Amino acid sequence: MPERQATGREVPFRGGGFAPKPVRWVGLSVFAVLLAAWEIGTRTGWIGNLTLPRLSGVGQVFVDLYDSGLLWQHLLPSLERLAAGAAIGAVAGIGVGVLIGLFSLVRAGLVPLVAAIFPIPKIALLPLFVIWFGIGEGSKYALIAFGTFTPTVVATYGAVDNVDRGLIRMGQSFGLGWFSIVWKIVLPGALPGILSGLRVSLAIAIILLVAAEMLGAEYGIGAYILEAGSLYDLERLFAGVIILSILGVLTSWLIGLAERALLAWRE
Amino acid sequence: MELRIENVGHHYGGGPVLDRISLDVAAGEVLCLVGPSGCGKSTLLRLVGGLEKPAEGRVLTGGDVPEGCLNPISFVFQHFNLLPWRTVSGNVSLVLEGRLGRAARREAIADVLARTGLSDFASALPRQLSGGMRQRVAISRALATRPAVMLLDEPLSALDAQTRELLMEDLVGLWLREPFTAVYVTHNLAEAVRLGHRVAVLSRRPGRVREVVTISTPLGERSAATPEVAEAQAHLWHLIRDEAAAADRTLADA
Ligand SMILES: Nc1ncnc2c1ncn2[C@@H]1O[C@H](COP(=O)(O)OP(=O)(O)OP(=O)(O)O)[C@@H](O)[C@H]1O
Ligand SMILES: [Mg+2]
């Protein structure tokens, strides 16, 4: 009988990976390390005064903004524009996207149009919107809505296309009506794609918010940043930019909440 | 309700798929369809269920639908086709909504889930269930509509062998309690001879009816060891063997 002996070489592990999992605190730590490097760098003079303002200086700007009540005076109109513009754009985009997904005629007619509109930098159209909707809130809503609209359309009809056809045939085989199939099968099935599209659309809405407020806005984060920029007041400029970042993180967090609430079935 | 398939032929871009199929299914009878891969079994089922229009021939139904029937022809699909965002009872509810009131619906759902042994899982989501349980949900959904005819397209082929055996027993039990008319497509000859009153053998593409084998032993008395059942299975294998080998060696788009 041949003697059994271990040859002593272990089988090397080569699996694992390719499976993102949530890791706590790392995101915050990255922020903390960057901010610490910034403060230490500017204090020691390793980063020059003209390169970057001091972090504590930017913090002081925040405190002043808050104390003087200017923070809300700038933030509230911005939030209102963002909410109104993005809501109009997203609702219209989801509506048109679903129609494209459902009707071949609409698809044939609108997909090339959307493809033509998508790459236009919406900022370039601001003067046009001012002529159409006036220098007031109207043109700002329009710019943000228009910018949110196109990516939402594309994400939505893609999501509708991706709904499992087997589920639709199932609905038909049980005699469900057209509206029931759309409402109970197509829309819930498209929801994951629509929500992940909204993540992108809302980030674009924040970008366009600043652009919209650069023209004829007395208050608003964009107006504040523009004013600071034209005076080369870097501390205030950074304060404004940080507010935008926080807005971005907040909207992304809100979508995450919506996903967790509406897509719990996805595990 | 009985079903009559009359000279049904069908073709797709790649040529004929079904060639003058004629079959009758009597009320309360289970007709099994076997045949090599790609011979058009699923296509025939879709034609019977009205999900596609036959290019030639027609499918007729006759007789009365059972009382309280909500959907005369109901499908059970190979891949279950459950809505992942609805619970077990929600998935059954889907096919009753708009047809039954709230109270009647709750009663019908409770009744059908009790019959299929799913009562404890009423509020579970499909992803929490095993394959066998998912197919039980799909069977419950079809039964809930009190169909006159059930169309089952390889309902057990996505399941492991043990689960398949259990579900086969369940199906026999359901039929014994309340006989239903069914067309049952399968690749598994053991399934066909356990569940079918008659088994139709289709040739490879384009599918033609080669032979219809009748098995007279009552469903409730069959097992793999029953002589007639074993004999029928051997006979079916003999019929299908060469076709299957030939079908296996054809290119899909040739
Ligand atoms: N929608 C379609 N368009 C074009 N060809 C199709 C379509 N559906 C089925 N076919 C072709 O028709 C033939 C029969 O398909 P069908 O799915 O009915 O076979 P089947 O007997 O159910 O096969 P299997 O046992 O593998 O399930 C196949 O060759 C398939 O490629
Ligand atoms: Mg098939």
Side-chain angles (χ1 to χ4, degrees):
Chain A
M1 207 170 99
E3 197 168 325
R4 235 177 266 175
Q5 56 174 203
T7 46
R9 204 178 303 141
E10 208 177 328
V11 175
F13 174 68
R14 48 191 176 171
F18 300 99
K21 41 183 179 272
V23 184
R24 279 170 168 268
W25 306 121
V26 175
L28 273 182
S29 312
V30 170
F31 273 111
V33 168
L34 280 178
L35 293 181
W38 178 3
E39 181 64 17
I40 293 166
T42 43
R43 264 183 198 280
T44 55
W46 172 58
I47 303 175
N49 260 350
L50 287 174
T51 320
L52 272 182
R54 268 194 199 172
L55 178 59
S56 43
V58 176
Q60 190 55 47
V61 172
F62 267 111
V63 173
D64 293 347
L65 266 177
Y66 185 79
D67 285 346
S68 62
L70 270 176
L71 181 64
W72 297 114
Q73 221 161 5
H74 284 297
L75 198 53
L76 289 180
S78 284
L79 285 177
E80 190 187 317
R81 287 165 193 147
L82 186 65
I88 297 169
V91 168
I94 291 173
V96 171
V98 168
L99 292 178
I100 290 178
L102 292 176
F103 299 106
S104 306
L105 199 64
V106 180
R107 171 180 305 245
L110 292 189
V111 168
L113 186 65
V114 170
I117 294 175
F118 206 166
I120 300 174
K122 308 300 179 295
I123 300 164
L125 298 180
L126 187 55
L128 193 66
F129 287 140
V130 171
I131 296 171
W132 287 354
F133 302 105
I135 191 87
E137 296 301 297
S139 57
K140 297 177 180 60
Y141 291 171
L143 181 72
I144 296 169
F146 199 45
T148 321
F149 174 75
T150 33
T152 309
V153 170
V154 172
T156 302
Y157 83 71
V160 172
D161 287 351
N162 273 332
V163 174
D164 184 355
R165 297 294 119 166
L167 294 181
I168 295 175
R169 294 283 170 261
M170 181 277 294
Q172 292 175 323
S173 80
F174 281 100
L176 266 64
W178 187 87
F179 279 105
S180 288
I181 289 179
V182 171
W183 182 247
K184 294 173 183 171
I185 299 178
V186 175
L187 288 181
L191 198 56
I194 293 176
L195 283 178
S196 71
L198 277 185
R199 256 179 217 281
V200 178
S201 309
L202 292 184
I204 292 176
I206 296 175
I207 296 174
L208 289 173
L209 169 70
V210 177
E213 288 178 344
M214 289 187 169
L215 210 70
E218 194 183 345
Y219 291 108
I221 309 296
Y224 180 79
I225 291 176
L226 187 72
E227 191 194 298
S230 58
L231 298 172
Y232 280 85
D233 185 340
L234 292 189
E235 284 173 358
R236 288 173 63 199
L237 181 81
F238 265 81
V241 169
I242 288 172
I243 293 176
L244 290 180
S245 292
I246 293 174
L247 271 183
V249 172
L250 271 181
T251 51
S252 168
W253 177 73
L254 283 176
I255 299 234
L257 276 191
E259 282 179 339
R260 241 166 295 154
L262 297 172
L263 307 179
W265 52 269
R266 278 202 310 188
E267 71 211 289
Chain B
M1 193 167 89
E2 66 242 19
L3 198 66
R4 160 161 290 188
I5 300 167
E6 246 181 38
N7 275 319
V8 165
H10 199 66
H11 48 78
Y12 292 114
V17 173
L18 290 169
D19 185 23
R20 278 170 290 137
I21 303 275
S22 289
L23 286 166
D24 284 317
V25 191
E29 183 188 48
V30 178
L31 173 78
C32 287
L33 273 182
V34 299
S37 205
C39 75
K41 304 180 295 293
S42 301
T43 307
L44 183 60
L45 224 52
R46 285 199 299 273
L47 297 174
V48 172
L51 290 179
E52 268 180 82
K53 269 194 202 147
E56 295 147 38
R58 51 192 188 155
V59 180
L60 303 167
T61 56
D64 294 328
V65 295
E67 200 182 301
C69 168
L70 300 173
N71 186 47
I73 302 181
S74 292
F75 271 92
V76 175
F77 299 91
Q78 179 176 6
H79 296 291
F80 326 133
N81 288 352
L82 300 175
L83 300 184
W85 50 87
R86 286 200 179 211
T87 60
V88 167
S89 59
N91 267 286
V92 178
S93 171
L94 176 78
V95 300
L96 306 175
E97 286 162 16
R99 294 165 168 162
L100 294 181
R102 192 178 288 268
R105 210 155 64 208
R106 199 170 315 138
E107 202 174 310
I109 295 170
D111 171 61
V112 80
L113 292 187
R115 264 197 285 165
T116 48
L118 286 170
S119 300
D120 293 343
F121 301 89
S123 51
L125 284 169
R127 69 170 156 88
Q128 300 173 294
L129 302 175
S130 66
M133 291 308 245
R134 289 182 204 182
Q135 194 58 296
R136 281 194 180 87
V137 179
I139 293 169
S140 313
R141 178 176 62 189
L143 287 173
T145 60
R146 298 182 167 278
V149 178
M150 292 250 275
L151 302 178
L152 304 102
D153 191 357
E154 303 192 35
L156 309 185
S157 68
L159 309 176
D160 64 83
Q162 290 83 25
T163 311
R164 200 181 300 162
E165 193 67 31
L166 291 173
L167 258 139
M168 232 183 320
E169 285 170 14
D170 286 3
L171 282 172
V172 171
L174 287 169
W175 187 89
L176 289 173
R177 267 187 68 163
E178 206 173 319
F180 47 84
T181 315
V183 181
Y184 187 107
V185 169
T186 179
H187 271 285
N188 186 317
L189 300 182
E191 249 169 76
V193 296
R194 280 283 292 284
L195 292 171
H197 295 100
R198 291 187 303 144
V199 182
V201 182
L202 298 189
S203 67
R204 86 187 120 105
R205 182 175 174 173
R208 291 188 191 98
V209 179
R210 278 198 57 182
E211 196 173 320
V212 180
V213 177
T214 305
I215 304 167
S216 51
T217 314
L219 288 197
E221 295 163 22
R222 292 184 192 180
S223 77
T226 316
E228 194 195 9
V229 169
E231 233 165 75
Q233 189 172 342
H235 179 55
L236 288 172
W237 174 235
H238 169 74
L239 284 173
I240 219 169
R241 208 202 115 95
D242 298 334
E243 295 280 353
D248 192 37
R249 299 178 63 83
T250 20
L251 292 172
D253 52 357

